[in-house]
Amino acid sequence: MGIGLSAQGVNLNRLPGWDKHSYGYHGDDGHSFCSSGTGQPYGPTFTTGDVIGCCVNLINNTCFYTKNGHSLGIAFTDLPSNLYPTVGLQTPGEIVDANFGQQPFVFDIEDYMREWQVKIQSTIKRFPIGGRLGEWQAMLQNMVSSYLVHHGYCSTATAFARITDTTIQEEQTSIKNRQRIQKLVLAGRVGEAIEATQQLYPGLLDHNPNLLFMLKCRQFVEMVNGTDSEVRCFSARSPRSQDSYPGSPSLSPRHGSNNSHVHSTGADSPTCSNGVVSMKSKQSHSKYPTLSSSSSSSSSSSPSSVNYSESNSTDSTKSQQHSSTSNQETSDSEMEMEAEHYPNGVLENSSTRIMNGTYKHEEILQTDESSMEDSCPQRQLCGGNHAATERMIQFGRELQILSEQLCREYGKNTVHKKMLQDAFSLLAYSDPWNCPVGQQLDPIQREPVCAALNSAILESQNVPKQPPLMLALGQASECLRLMARVGLGSCSFARVDDYLH
């Protein structure tokens, strides 16, 4: 019996190792055969009951064998690429069981891989930097600074710039404006985000019809979810929680957040239209049909100024209501997104919480099924409000009109068609959250929309729409992928993610 490797096209009637581009370890004499009929002494013989392993190292292009879990040393070097595992049998009735990883190996392959991972990472760390250390450090500091600014981490970026003596290219006011808009999108309040964008960056959405349509489709989804102000304003209180997880995602993907820093506001708040103060508000002139906003006022659903500082009218302690107006310059601690929580019309404190009308006392929270049913009522379309449902249907008609106009001006767009179909398909199911297209209602789906809007704002200000740090990471990942395609095994142990954590 011979066990080894062969290139495509070798003679399958001969044992591996005897022909060109064929390599084998034979059990009758323990010799290794490297493209030759003449073998070289290598290891012990093997027979019935033995477990023989063949390991190909794509980093140094070598091959070694194991017998019953013990390495026999390197058998072949300078192996070509694209070899196939090969077993040759000569005696009638011979049987072999092959294991390609579907079962644990007898040989500790994981420990062997860890050894090579340490070697590769050590090689990377020993890469000579020479006299360019200071130049590289300055470049990396600027990349980190631009990343923080891009995602709106205002106070962190300021502190980092002060420590590293770098310059922030964007004004803090602009950073906070972008941050407020992103907070609204991530909270599911897309209609307010659209109005804020139109006020703070006039003409941006008119010149980006694809982005506008994406935002409008997302707004329709959030209306189904019951989180957009277009439907929230029809309820006396905030709708039942429609979010899939507590705390909306932060501006940077996959980073959770849970800050309960909120303001309370009473019935004296200024009248809001879709979250924007109606007093002396600018009128946006768009060439696209306006998807009308509800003019109803709801103190529980809207921030009290164009700066979009979070506000809530529900108070678990039933304390005396009072009027509050958000300051034009909200403190950095309030605006930081690393630990921001979107309570969806909920005021939280350390002892008692009201989650969309449901009291939750931390010290008596039960975990049995009955208490879970009480605290997590079944989600309903548009929060279960009939008037809100009618408004959503009207919005859908207006969205269809917008789609038709864009089609006339720019031609058919399959992406728009798919986006609209998916959004409208939610209405075909009695429980949209548990249907084939229900993933749209997951708050994590807000992140791509948020990122697209943020990039468009930056690009309109002649700022790169992607931070250089992300571009560098993407380039490094693509470089490793191309290295893997050409057979450079070292890239398997040089993953970018290993150096980010």
Side-chain angles (χ1 to χ4, degrees):
M1 178 184 294
I3 300 174
L5 306 162
S6 299
Q8 187 177 18
V10 300
N11 188 351
L12 298 181
N13 293 319
R14 291 164 58 83
L15 289 179
W18 285 353
D19 296 318
K20 187 177 182 180
H21 301 311
S22 178
Y23 309 84
Y25 168 39
H26 295 185
D28 57 345
D29 54 11
H31 287 185
S32 63
F33 292 80
C34 178
S35 302
S36 171
T38 303
Q40 301 293 328
Y42 171 65
T45 61
F46 57 88
T47 184
T48 304
D50 287 328
V51 178
I52 305 299
C54 178
C55 179
V56 179
N57 187 326
L58 298 177
I59 297 176
N60 58 7
N61 297 320
T62 61
C63 169
F64 69 91
Y65 290 88
T66 65
K67 179 179 179 181
N68 299 326
H70 300 285
S71 175
L72 302 179
I74 293 178
F76 309 111
T77 60
D78 300 322
L79 291 175
S81 58
N82 299 323
L83 295 176
Y84 297 86
T86 308
V87 175
L89 306 177
Q90 281 189 319
T91 304
E94 283 184 320
I95 298 175
V96 61
D97 290 329
N99 177 20
F100 292 97
Q102 68 271 25
Q103 297 175 351
F105 292 114
V106 177
F107 176 71
D108 191 353
I109 189 67
E110 296 295 333
D111 184 64
Y112 178 76
M113 293 173 64
R114 281 191 293 269
E115 290 180 8
W116 274 96
Q117 184 175 19
V118 171
K119 290 180 181 179
I120 298 301
Q121 292 181 348
S122 297
T123 301
I124 295 174
K125 292 178 180 179
R126 291 196 307 268
F127 182 81
I129 297 178
R132 303 185 62 184
L133 177 61
E135 178 185 343
W136 286 12
Q137 283 182 334
M139 183 184 302
L140 289 173
Q141 289 169 355
N142 286 328
M143 293 172 70
V144 172
S145 177
S146 64
Y147 177 86
L148 295 173
V149 170
H150 176 92
H151 288 292
Y153 301 137
C154 189
S155 63
T156 305
T158 302
F160 183 81
R162 183 171 58 251
I163 294 173
T164 59
D165 195 26
T166 56
T167 303
I168 297 179
Q169 301 297 327
E170 187 178 4
E171 294 182 0
Q172 287 196 10
T173 302
S174 177
I175 299 174
K176 290 183 178 181
N177 285 338
R178 286 192 297 105
Q179 187 186 55
R180 290 166 188 141
I181 292 173
Q182 291 177 85
K183 287 172 66 177
L184 290 171
V185 175
L186 293 173
R189 293 153 60 179
V190 183
E192 299 173 49
I194 292 173
E195 289 201 14
T197 303
Q198 290 172 335
Q199 289 189 11
L200 296 170
Y201 306 98
L204 173 64
L205 296 181
D206 288 340
H207 293 96
N208 290 270
N210 291 334
L211 176 61
L212 175 63
F213 190 78
M214 178 195 297
L215 288 167
K216 291 296 185 181
C217 285
R218 186 66 213 177
Q219 184 179 3
F220 181 85
V221 172
E222 296 299 345
M223 292 174 75
V224 174
N225 212 9
T227 51
D228 191 79
S229 298
E230 286 280 329
V231 296
R232 291 177 64 188
C233 64
F234 287 98
S235 301
R237 60 180 175 84
S238 298
R240 291 169 179 165
S241 177
Q242 311 290 329
D243 288 354
S244 300
Y245 53 84
S248 294
S250 69
L251 298 182
S252 182
R254 298 174 185 80
H255 290 275
S257 53
N258 56 353
N259 186 3
S260 59
H261 193 107
V262 296
H263 303 287
S264 64
T265 181
D268 296 332
S269 299
T271 299
C272 296
S273 173
N274 204 8
V276 180
V277 178
S278 60
M279 298 179 296
K280 298 181 181 179
S281 61
K282 291 184 178 180
Q283 296 297 323
S284 176
H285 301 284
S286 173
K287 67 176 181 178
Y288 299 112
T290 301
L291 277 66
S292 58
S293 302
S294 170
S295 60
S296 301
S297 173
S298 172
S299 61
S300 65
S301 64
S302 303
S304 57
S305 80
V306 75
N307 277 336
Y308 296 90
S309 178
E310 292 293 316
S311 61
N312 299 272
S313 61
T314 308
D315 191 343
S316 61
T317 60
K318 304 290 185 181
S319 61
Q320 181 179 1
Q321 293 186 340
H322 63 278
S323 171
S324 66
T325 302
S326 299
N327 295 327
Q328 292 295 322
E329 289 298 329
T330 309
S331 64
D332 285 343
S333 61
E334 294 172 349
M335 299 309 303
E336 279 302 317
M337 291 299 297
E338 290 92 337
E340 184 65 35
H341 176 64
Y342 302 109
N344 195 16
V346 179
L347 177 65
E348 297 183 352
N349 58 36
S350 59
S351 59
T352 306
R353 295 188 298 170
I354 296 180
M355 183 64 71
N356 293 322
T358 303
Y359 282 92
K360 287 187 180 180
H361 297 272
E362 296 292 337
E363 61 273 15
I364 62 172
L365 182 62
Q366 301 295 322
T367 57
D368 57 88
E369 292 183 1
S370 60
S371 65
M372 290 300 292
E373 292 177 357
D374 293 338
S375 61
C376 299
Q378 183 178 4
R379 294 170 293 192
Q380 295 181 337
L381 191 71
C382 298
N385 185 280
H386 179 70
T389 303
E390 290 184 344
R391 173 68 195 113
M392 176 202 64
I393 294 174
Q394 176 62 27
F395 187 92
R397 295 192 184 103
E398 296 165 354
L399 185 56
Q400 177 66 35
I401 294 174
L402 175 61
S403 174
E404 293 171 356
Q405 179 174 342
L406 292 176
C407 184
R408 288 192 300 270
E409 293 185 12
Y410 301 99
K412 293 183 179 180
N413 190 314
T414 56
V415 176
H416 286 185
K417 183 178 180 180
K418 177 70 163 56
M419 203 181 301
L420 196 64
Q421 286 179 344
D422 288 346
F424 286 172
S425 295
L426 291 169
L427 304 184
Y429 301 91
S430 58
D431 184 3
W433 292 268
N434 295 295
C435 72
V437 291
Q439 74 279 359
Q440 298 176 86
L441 297 168
D442 192 329
I444 201 172
Q445 300 299 327
R446 301 166 184 165
E447 293 187 7
V449 180
C450 180
L453 179 55
N454 186 51
S455 296
I457 293 174
L458 289 169
E459 196 171 21
S460 70
Q461 297 179 311
N462 297 320
V463 178
K465 64 179 181 179
Q466 292 293 334
L469 180 60
M470 299 304 297
L471 293 176
L473 292 176
Q475 184 181 34
S477 299
E478 180 63 15
C479 182
L480 289 173
R481 189 185 69 84
L482 294 175
M483 290 169 60
R485 288 187 61 182
V486 298
L488 296 177
S490 301
C491 61
S492 299
F493 299 118
R495 296 185 307 152
V496 174
D497 288 347
D498 293 338
Y499 295 90
L500 298 179
H501 304 287

